[in-house]
């Protein structure tokens, strides 16, 4: 290969990308607004859940229960009648509807076990699951304090000393921001290289390249380094200015080491993008093919669900996916501050996977070039 030729062809790819406002907008959105929204859209706790209460007891205890619901976990309770409860739930106005029965306080003080009815709109999955536990704990606490005349906490038989490592405050936004960067690196590297090849085929410039003294390997290598460089620069920008700057997420490890590992990952994913570009004949076809490939790569890589909880056969199959090892490498460096002595196995595996993907794609690309010629 002639490196001067590869450099000039890569610069041509960068100029072509610079004239594509849609792709530039996608890159800008993926590494700014998408990361911010993914981080802030992961709620830490229940937040502003709408609740209505039917208070048929009208006692001091029921008033205490009503007053226990306030911001930020719940909106101010709407006091309604029994007849309004079902209609409001059907209209989607309330996630929770609490019904305190008549004589609730008197039955409780008499030693009976009265029941409070809680209606939950289960279509709101996250709020329904989390909020039910919140409400149970809050009502139990208020009733216990009312009966005992003080708010006491029973001493547990075993004292659990909790030590949360790598995320002491258990802030979910930290996880969401970094994982969105990882996912967007994979997505954009595949999209940019595949779209670059399809764009040349649609514009007819691929035929111009066939009559020039360039080889398929040089053409493919130029697309890999050019699009990989764009994603790498965008990734570095997102980590420094969006993740660390705007979201104030601490990065424990070396950014240089992470970007080096990202480059190895891009070697594999850009090759995948070119391979998919040789299969698809248009951008709509490429988009459909992308959904079939990208979703399993992201969902089964271990970033969303721990790989240990997946079936054994899926764990074996996903060993050949570069995202599996990239997620492991990225989490080790960015979350736990790992060095090269820890992540070198993932780096070595990414090199092997990238070389295999590049070789397979080059064979396919040569066949496609031969057909077009």
């Amino acid at each position: 290969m002639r490196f001067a030729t590869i450099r000039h062809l890569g610069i041509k790819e960068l100029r072509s990308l610079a004239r594509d406002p849609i792709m530039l907008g996608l890159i800008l959105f993926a590494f700014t607004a998408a990361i911010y929204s993914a981080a802030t859209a992961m709620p830490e706790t229940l937040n502003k859940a709408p609740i209505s209460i039917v208070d048929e007891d009208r006692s001091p205890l029921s008033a205490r229960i009503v007053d226990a619901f306030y911001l930020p976990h719940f909106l101010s309770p709407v006091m309604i009648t029994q007849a309004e409860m079902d209609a409001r739930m059907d209209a989607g106005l309330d996630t929770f509807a609490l019904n305190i029965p008549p004589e609730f306080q008197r039955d409780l003080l008499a030693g009976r076990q009265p029941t409070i009815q809680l209606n939950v709109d289960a279509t709101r999955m996250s709020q329904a699951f989390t909020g039910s536990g919140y409400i149970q704990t809050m009502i139990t606490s208020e009733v216990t304090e009312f009966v005992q005349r003080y708010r006491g906490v029973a001493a547990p038989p075993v004292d659990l000393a909790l030590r949360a490592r790598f995320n002491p405050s258990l802030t979910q936004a930290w996880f969401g921001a970094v994982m969105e960067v990882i996912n967007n690196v994979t997505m954009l590297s595949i999209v940019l290289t595949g779209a670059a090849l399809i764009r040349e085929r649609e514009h007819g410039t691929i035929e111009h390249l066939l009559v020039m003294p360039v080889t398929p390997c040089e053409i493919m290598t130029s697309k890999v380094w050019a699009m990989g460089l764009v994603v790498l620069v965008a990734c570095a920008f997102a980590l420094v200015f969006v993740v660390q700057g705007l979201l104030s997420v601490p990065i424990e490890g070396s950014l240089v080491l992470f970007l080096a590992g990202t480059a190895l990952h891009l070697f594999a994913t850009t090759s995948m993008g070119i391979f998919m570009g040789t299969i698809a004949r248009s951008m709509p076809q490429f988009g459909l093919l992308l959904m079939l490939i990208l979703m399993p790569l992201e969902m089964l890589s271990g970033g969303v669900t721990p790989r240990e909880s997946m079936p054994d056969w899926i764990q074996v199959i996903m060993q050949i996916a570069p995202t599996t090892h990239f997620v492991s490498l990225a989490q080790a460096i960015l979350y736990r501050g790992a060095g090269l002595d820890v992540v070198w196995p993932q780096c070595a595996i990414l090199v092997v996977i990238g070389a295999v993907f590049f070789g397979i794609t080059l064979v396919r690309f040569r066949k496609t070039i031969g057909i077009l010629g």
Side-chain angles (χ1 to χ4, degrees):
M1 292 191 300
R2 293 161 297 179
F3 293 100
T5 302
I6 295 174
R7 178 171 61 86
H8 288 301
L9 290 176
I11 294 175
K12 176 191 73 69
E13 295 293 337
L14 295 176
R15 289 175 176 172
S16 178
L17 178 63
R19 292 192 295 268
D20 191 338
I22 301 299
M23 283 298 176
L24 292 178
L26 177 62
I27 296 171
L28 179 63
F29 174 80
F31 286 102
T32 53
I35 296 172
Y36 182 83
S37 61
T40 55
M42 301 184 70
E44 310 298 330
T45 57
L46 192 68
N47 187 51
K48 294 184 179 180
I51 183 172
S52 62
I53 298 179
V54 180
D55 186 4
E56 298 181 291
D57 189 26
R58 304 285 181 177
S59 64
L61 177 56
S62 66
R64 288 177 64 100
I65 294 175
V66 172
D67 292 339
F69 297 95
Y70 49 82
L71 292 171
H73 300 321
F74 296 90
L75 295 175
S76 298
V78 179
M79 307 306 297
I80 60 174
T81 63
Q82 179 73 37
E84 296 175 308
M85 183 172 63
D86 289 339
R88 288 180 62 87
M89 292 288 288
D90 293 341
L93 299 178
D94 299 319
T95 303
F96 305 99
L98 195 67
N99 186 1
I100 305 176
E103 310 298 336
F104 173 73
Q105 177 179 310
R106 189 181 70 175
D107 291 343
L108 182 69
L109 295 177
R112 305 185 185 95
Q113 293 183 334
T115 301
I116 295 180
Q117 183 186 66
L118 175 63
N119 297 278
V120 182
D121 182 357
T123 60
R124 303 178 179 182
M125 289 295 296
S126 60
Q127 285 192 340
F129 179 79
T130 307
S132 298
Y134 266 66
I135 294 173
Q136 175 71 47
T137 302
M138 293 167 64
I139 292 178
T140 300
S141 176
E142 293 297 332
V143 169
T144 301
E145 181 184 0
F146 180 81
V147 173
Q148 297 180 350
R149 296 295 189 268
Y150 69 93
R151 189 180 295 272
V153 179
V158 178
D159 187 16
L160 180 64
L162 178 62
R163 182 189 179 196
R165 299 195 61 190
F166 315 122
N167 188 355
S169 60
L170 300 179
T171 306
Q172 295 188 26
W174 292 11
F175 175 82
V178 173
M179 287 311 304
E180 188 68 13
V181 172
I182 295 173
N183 290 336
N184 287 345
V185 165
T186 301
M187 179 191 71
L188 264 298
S189 60
I190 295 176
V191 169
L192 292 180
T193 49
L197 180 58
I198 294 176
R199 182 171 55 241
E200 286 201 89
R201 184 186 299 123
E202 292 177 342
H203 294 172
T205 53
I206 190 69
E207 285 81 1
H208 297 168
L209 291 176
L210 293 178
V211 299
M212 296 177 63
V214 295
T215 64
C217 186
E218 292 171 345
I219 297 174
M220 182 174 162
T221 305
S222 66
K223 296 182 183 300
V224 167
W225 83 256
M227 297 300 102
L229 178 63
V230 171
V231 176
L232 195 65
V233 172
C235 175
F237 172 85
L239 284 174
V240 174
F241 294 101
V242 180
V243 176
Q244 289 184 303
L246 185 60
L247 296 171
S248 300
V249 177
I251 300 298
E252 297 296 332
S254 169
L255 285 179
V256 174
L257 180 59
F258 170 72
L259 292 176
T262 303
L264 298 179
H265 175 65
L266 290 171
F267 179 44
T269 52
T270 50
S271 300
M272 291 176 59
I274 295 177
F275 183 84
M276 293 165 58
T278 61
I279 297 175
R281 298 303 176 188
S282 63
M283 282 303 296
Q285 289 184 6
F286 181 79
L288 294 175
L289 186 60
L290 179 66
M291 288 189 292
L292 294 176
I293 300 298
L294 188 61
M295 291 300 293
L297 286 179
E298 293 184 355
M299 297 298 293
L300 303 178
S301 63
V304 178
T305 303
R307 296 184 61 250
E308 292 77 11
S309 63
M310 302 178 189
D312 293 339
W313 62 274
I314 290 183
Q315 296 185 40
V316 173
I317 292 176
M318 289 304 295
Q319 286 292 331
I320 64 174
T323 51
T324 299
H325 309 284
F326 179 55
V327 168
S328 177
L329 176 146
Q331 290 181 344
I333 296 174
L334 300 180
Y335 291 148
R336 299 186 287 274
L340 183 60
D341 58 325
V342 175
V343 299
W344 73 263
Q346 288 79 21
C347 293
I349 294 174
L350 285 173
V351 170
V352 173
I353 293 176
V356 172
F357 281 8
F358 187 88
I360 295 174
T361 302
L362 182 58
V363 172
R364 171 70 185 179
F365 186 59
R366 281 173 174 164
K367 291 182 179 179
T368 305
I369 292 290
I371 294 174
L372 292 175

